[in-house]
């Protein structure tokens, strides 16, 4: 096979023995076609209700570790692409046909390697940041025109960024409101004017980002979601609302006027250890939050805190969901009535939230890429992207690489 061109075809794999026994080796992903979830296993990985369409090992991308992931659907061709963050760059994979995926290439990191990289997509461009801890002259924001992936003649290529925005350096994460065309890097340098809070960057012309200030009153923001609000609180209909996960609390901020953001409210919860990331339900009534350190430091099972945001001025804790595993929860997203939770060593957990108003949510499926254990550690699944119309689910595993799943 040419080192310049990687076209994945069907591989015949020997049956891998379940790793429920601690004496057996952990299965490694291979460039493989669909493996259905049968009798609780798919290609050696414990599962329930979700099939494995594809897995590609981290070594294929020339990286040592994986981190974030996202996706892009080409509006012209309707092809689907997985985008995976690596310690040393960002990989792009055509997953339109998971029997014959194409690793198209890699955008190297702008500076040094980093265990934290984050990607979002707007107007057919990928926006990439890294938390590489080398000061304000570090990574910044790479902008990559995804339409270039349509005509990659000799994959995998080494890509260059179309733009590198360097008015900030490090960032732990990036949030984009596609309705307004603004990007919000969060977790930037704590010593800057906004104390690590969200920056406001106009990306309506993707290759020419424009800085428009930031919000630093609530200090460091680890992650956030920004929406054009259409929820039950009519006081804020049509406003641009930021929900920040700010280490020890959740903050709600009206950022419609970038020159004059307004703090609406904030809320914390019992046994806070590290307020990490959360996501609205689609009706914007409830917000599902994960605390990244509570399982490890308190010794509890995986915990999600559900808030009632019916009144943004007066948010309330709705109830606590406790899972059957002890793994650390990381990033979670909502599509329809399913909460897709990247839960490190317990893999991806699929949670039915149809009865969330009745203080009840229920795990209905899982795919465990780290069968060794479900303990509170930082191995396994970092992120899950569930937003493709096809139902394909992108999963990034720190050690094992890229997985594509689909509900049975």
């Amino acid at each position: 096979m040419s080192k310049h061109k990687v076209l994945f075809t069907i591989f015949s794999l020997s049956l891998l023995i379940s790793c429920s026994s601690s004496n057996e080796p952990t299965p490694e992903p291979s460039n493989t076609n669909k493996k259905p979830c049968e009798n609780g296993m798919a290609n050696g990985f414990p599962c329930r209700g979700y099939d494995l369409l594809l897995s590609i090992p981290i070594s294929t991308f020339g990286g040592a570790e994986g981190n974030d992931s996202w996706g892009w659907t080409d509006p012209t061709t309707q092809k689907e692409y997985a985008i995976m963050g690596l310690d040393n760059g960002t990989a792009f994979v055509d997953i339109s046909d998971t029997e014959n995926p194409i690793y198209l290439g890699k955008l190297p990191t702008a500076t040094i390697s980093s265990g934290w990289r984050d990607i979002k997509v707007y107007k057919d461009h990928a926006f990439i940041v890294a938390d590489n801890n080398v000061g304000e002259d570090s990574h910044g924001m790479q902008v990559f025109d995804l339409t270039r992936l349509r005509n990659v003649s000799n994959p995998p290529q080494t890509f260059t960024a179309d733009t590198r925005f360097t008015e900030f350096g490090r960032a732990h994460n990036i949030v984009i409101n596609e309705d307004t065309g603004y990007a919000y890097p969060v977790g930037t340098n704590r010593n800057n004017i906004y104390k690590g809070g969200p920056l406001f960057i106009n990306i309506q012309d993707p290759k020419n980002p424009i800085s428009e200030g930031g919000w630093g009153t609530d200090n460091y923001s680890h992650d956030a979601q920004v929406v054009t609000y259409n929820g039950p609180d009519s006081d804020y209909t049509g406003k641009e609302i930021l929900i920040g996960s700010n280490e020890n609390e959740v903050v709600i901020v009206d950022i419609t006027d970038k020159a004059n953001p307004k703090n609406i409210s904030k809320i914390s919860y019992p046994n806070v250890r590290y307020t990490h990331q959360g996501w609205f339900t689609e009706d914007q009534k409830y917000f599902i939050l994960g605390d990244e350190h509570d399982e490890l430091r308190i010794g509890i099972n995986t915990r999600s805190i559900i808030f009632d945001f019916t009144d943004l001025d007066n948010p309330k804790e709705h109830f606590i969901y406790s899972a059957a595993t002890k793994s650390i929860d990381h990033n979670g997203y909502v599509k329809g009535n399913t909460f897709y939770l990247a839960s490190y060593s317990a893999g991806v957990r699929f949670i039915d939230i149809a009865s969330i108003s009745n203080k009840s949510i229920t795990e209905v499926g899982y795919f465990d890429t780290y069968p060794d254990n479900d303990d509170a550690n930082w191995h396994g699944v970092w992120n899950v992207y569930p937003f493709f119309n096809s139902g394909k689910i992108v999963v990034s595993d720190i050690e094992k690489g890229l997985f594509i799943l689909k509900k049975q």
Side-chain angles (χ1 to χ4, degrees):
M1 182 181 295
S2 169
K3 68 179 180 180
H4 299 296
K5 188 168 185 177
V6 181
L7 295 176
F8 298 108
T9 56
I10 299 174
F11 279 72
S12 175
L13 298 177
S14 61
L15 180 66
L16 293 175
I17 301 173
S18 166
C19 282
S20 57
S21 167
S22 60
N23 294 324
E24 297 296 336
T26 302
E28 290 296 330
S30 302
N31 305 333
T32 179
N33 60 306
K34 180 177 180 179
K35 296 293 181 182
C37 180
E38 296 177 340
N39 301 316
M41 300 293 286
N43 200 33
F45 297 99
C47 58
R48 176 187 172 194
Y50 287 79
D51 292 331
L52 174 65
L53 300 186
L54 168 71
S55 59
I56 302 175
I58 198 75
S59 58
T60 297
F61 307 129
E65 289 186 346
N67 41 63
D68 193 42
S69 54
W70 210 247
W72 175 60
T73 301
D74 187 327
T76 299
T77 66
Q78 298 305 306
K79 286 189 174 184
E80 294 174 329
Y81 298 84
I83 307 170
M84 182 166 174
L86 312 164
D87 59 316
N88 59 2
T90 306
F92 303 92
V93 183
D94 182 345
I95 60 166
S96 305
D97 177 4
T98 51
E99 297 288 343
N100 299 283
I102 306 172
Y103 170 37
L104 295 166
K106 177 178 177 178
L107 174 64
T109 183
T111 53
I112 63 172
S113 293
S114 170
W116 299 275
R117 193 171 306 278
D118 199 79
I119 309 116
K120 296 296 184 298
V121 170
Y122 171 71
K123 275 191 178 179
D124 306 325
H125 289 72
F127 297 81
I128 304 162
V129 299
D131 193 357
N132 53 5
N133 200 27
V134 293
E136 283 299 283
D137 295 327
S138 54
H139 191 279
M141 180 176 71
Q142 293 173 305
V143 183
F144 178 77
D145 187 341
L146 293 164
T147 64
R148 293 165 58 187
L149 301 179
R150 294 171 182 162
N151 301 300
V152 179
S153 60
N154 193 27
Q157 289 189 1
T158 299
F159 297 114
T160 56
D162 293 273
T163 298
R164 182 181 170 201
F165 182 81
T166 57
E167 290 188 29
F168 68 92
R170 61 188 296 187
H172 191 78
N173 213 320
I174 185 170
V175 181
I176 290 179
N177 183 357
E178 295 181 38
D179 294 334
T180 61
Y182 276 84
Y184 303 95
V186 295
T188 54
N189 194 315
R190 294 176 189 264
N191 296 321
N192 69 20
I193 187 174
Y194 299 111
K195 306 175 185 177
L199 308 180
F200 304 156
I201 301 177
N202 185 326
I203 56 169
Q204 292 161 12
D205 180 359
K207 292 184 179 68
N208 295 286
I210 301 170
S211 179
E212 294 189 11
W215 173 253
T217 300
D218 292 311
N219 297 320
Y220 185 92
S221 186
H222 183 85
D223 205 332
Q225 184 182 14
V226 178
V227 300
T228 301
Y229 187 75
N230 191 33
D233 190 341
S234 59
D235 292 343
Y236 297 97
T237 300
K239 300 290 188 180
E240 192 169 16
I241 303 299
L242 179 144
I243 314 295
S245 297
N246 284 26
E247 297 192 301
N248 64 350
E249 62 186 359
V250 178
V251 302
I252 306 176
V253 186
D254 181 347
I255 57 171
T256 309
D257 181 353
K258 301 297 181 290
N260 187 31
K262 298 177 181 178
N263 197 334
I264 298 173
S265 61
K266 57 184 68 178
I267 187 170
S268 193
Y269 50 93
N271 293 314
V272 59
R273 290 300 184 269
Y274 197 87
T275 307
H276 179 261
Q277 186 263 0
W279 207 255
F280 261 129
T281 54
E282 289 190 347
D283 61 7
Q284 296 182 351
K285 184 175 182 180
Y286 301 102
F287 189 77
I288 307 174
L289 177 78
D291 183 310
E292 193 178 13
H293 291 175
D294 51 356
E295 293 87 8
L296 181 65
R297 294 183 180 179
I298 304 173
I300 60 175
N301 280 13
T302 311
R303 177 178 68 152
S304 298
I305 303 96
I306 294 88
F307 295 104
D308 185 338
F309 278 6
T310 302
D311 181 355
L312 294 182
D313 296 286
N314 187 29
K316 298 177 181 178
E317 183 183 306
H318 190 46
F319 71 103
I320 302 292
Y321 167 72
S322 183
T325 62
K326 293 185 177 298
S327 63
I328 297 170
D329 50 332
H330 198 228
N331 294 338
Y333 303 98
V334 173
K335 182 181 180 184
N337 283 326
T338 302
F339 180 50
Y340 298 80
L341 180 61
S343 198
Y344 280 122
S345 63
V348 187
R349 317 306 287 198
F350 304 94
I351 300 167
D352 185 338
I353 59 172
S355 296
I356 194 170
S357 61
N358 296 322
K359 301 185 178 182
S360 175
I361 62 177
T362 306
E363 182 176 287
V364 292
Y366 59 85
F367 195 97
D368 189 355
T369 63
Y370 189 79
D372 297 43
N373 59 63
D374 293 334
D375 296 343
N377 55 56
W378 283 281
H379 297 287
V381 173
W382 180 290
N383 198 64
V384 54
Y385 174 85
F387 299 116
F388 283 127
N389 290 334
S390 67
K392 293 172 188 171
I393 301 163
V394 177
V395 176
S396 49
D397 181 284
I398 298 170
E399 296 92 356
K400 294 186 179 65
L402 178 68
F403 291 76
I404 308 299
L405 311 178
K406 193 170 186 179
K407 186 177 181 180
Q408 289 185 329

